Amino acid sequence: MKPEFLSIHPDVQSALDQGRPVVALESTIITHGMPYPANVRTAIEVEEIVRANGAVPATIAVIDGRIAVGLSTDALENLATASGVVKASGRDLAAVMTRGGSAGTTVSATMRIAALAGIRIFATGGVGGVHRGAQETFDVSADLVELGRTAVTVVCAGVKSILDIPLTLEYLETQRVPVIAAGSDDFPAFYTRSSGLKADHRLDTPEEMARAIAIHGQLGTGTGILIANPIPEADALDPAFIDGMIADAVAAATEQGIGRKELTPFLLARINELSGGTSLKANIALVKNNVALAARIAAALEA
Ligand code: PSU
Ligand code: MN
């Protein structure tokens, strides 16, 4: 039985009922990750790319106290423009829903909801991770904890260097989360194709990835899988260009005492500002690349 607070869009429900491929999409990227109107435009285009690659998109958000799995264009537009929309990780959902609020769902919340709805694969830009300075701040994203206990595959473009990438990979190892780079030996760093660190595993085709997901599921580990898909060559940023801006953004956050759930949105906005929109362009390109891969994996999973 699905909880009564879950509103699954008819297109998504019929795909699930008929065993057709579905890809979940998060919404914090819309509410807190990108500025308006690029956020709505991207959300709409990304759904089209999922469809073009043979799957049904299911963008997930909290709308007026209920969880929506699959959003109309109007709902997307409202979510992107309404005031008081919160950033909800899994732990925030109950309180936001109780007061009838609306929220963008982070990777952790979206994974939880996808699992409830029976969706096995989910695509986004970047996942949260272990922040730089976590030795002092303890700032480790709930995304990593959720990956350690919810059996949903997340396709991302690796981890941004606003985070401590080596510590993030250590944490995923402890949590028993398989980390697979798509068509690359290196673990990607969001804006760039390599973080300078090797990925644990490399798989090259959506069919292989679907097979790994199926085997991992049968092993009963109960953990998610992280598929790290490098940004396309043509859209990748020069590390020399972006790394300095990331360092400046992190320094500004520390100076201004930004912490907890405000930190990631602050850093994203700051980097966008400092780069004159170049980081946003790369972000949009890599999200599109990720949803296309996720749709092809979803199709291979159902084949
Ligand atoms: N990274 C991005 N864009 C985003 C996010 C991360 O490049 O929009 C969002 C995702 O929703 C992710 C969340 O789940 O930030 C992580 O937040 P935190 O670091 O507070 O756990
Ligand atoms: Mn955090």
Side-chain angles (χ1 to χ4, degrees):
M1 270 297 284
K2 300 221 156 66
E4 64 75 32
F5 54 69
L6 207 56
S7 300
I8 302 185
H9 192 284
D11 293 353
V12 175
Q13 190 61 61
S14 68
L16 290 171
D17 291 343
Q18 294 163 24
R20 286 186 286 118
V22 176
V23 173
L25 301 161
E26 63 143 315
S27 49
T28 292
I29 192 171
I30 305 169
T31 58
H32 292 75
M34 288 183 188
Y36 183 83
N39 55 355
V40 186
R41 206 182 314 129
T42 305
I44 292 168
E45 287 173 5
V46 147
E47 292 200 349
E48 283 162 6
I49 294 169
V50 171
R51 287 194 194 92
N53 284 278
V56 174
T59 303
I60 291 174
V62 180
I63 310 283
D64 301 332
R66 292 178 60 80
I67 291 175
V69 179
L71 297 182
S72 67
T73 306
D74 280 355
L76 279 175
E77 184 77 33
N78 279 338
L79 194 68
T81 51
S83 61
V85 175
V86 304
K87 169 184 167 188
S89 72
R91 71 175 191 141
D92 300 304
L93 293 171
V96 174
M97 291 162 69
T98 298
R99 61 175 178 74
S102 296
T105 51
T106 66
V107 169
S108 79
T110 308
M111 284 183 77
R112 192 89 292 289
I113 296 164
L116 282 178
I119 303 171
R120 293 191 283 169
I121 184 151
F122 156 31
T124 185
V127 292
V130 178
H131 277 271
R132 294 192 196 176
Q135 296 87 335
E136 257 87 53
T137 63
F138 274 40
D139 193 341
V140 178
S141 176
D143 294 354
L144 301 185
V145 178
E146 198 66 49
L147 276 161
R149 54 190 70 169
T150 296
V152 169
T153 297
V154 179
V155 179
C156 69
V159 165
K160 242 187 243 77
S161 52
I162 60 170
L163 300 166
D164 188 317
I165 301 178
L167 287 191
T168 301
L169 292 175
E170 288 289 353
Y171 198 91
L172 288 165
E173 182 170 327
T174 303
Q175 292 287 322
R176 308 161 303 140
V177 177
V179 175
I180 298 169
S184 172
D185 294 324
D186 288 1
F187 185 74
F190 199 84
Y191 299 121
T192 55
R193 289 177 58 82
S194 173
S195 60
L197 299 165
K198 293 279 168 234
D200 295 309
H201 302 284
R202 168 186 182 145
L203 293 176
D204 286 291
T205 67
E207 290 72 26
E208 284 178 341
M209 294 170 206
R211 181 149 171 72
I213 292 168
I215 295 171
H216 185 70
Q218 285 169 339
L219 287 167
T221 313
T223 68
I225 296 177
L226 194 67
I227 294 184
N229 188 29
I231 183 171
E233 198 92 58
D235 302 300
L237 301 183
D238 180 357
F241 168 79
I242 198 71
D243 285 350
M245 291 170 200
I246 289 174
D248 288 353
V250 171
T254 308
E255 201 173 291
Q256 295 178 39
I258 311 284
R260 296 176 64 184
K261 68 199 281 186
E262 273 77 48
L263 180 57
T264 297
F266 174 92
L267 293 173
L268 294 173
R270 191 70 172 216
I271 292 164
N272 184 34
E273 228 174 82
L274 291 172
S275 72
T278 304
S279 66
L280 178 63
K281 238 179 101 222
N283 196 346
I284 292 169
L286 65 85
V287 175
K288 290 179 176 175
N289 188 47
N290 293 344
V291 301
L293 176 61
R296 293 197 295 267
I297 298 170
L301 264 176
E302 303 300 346

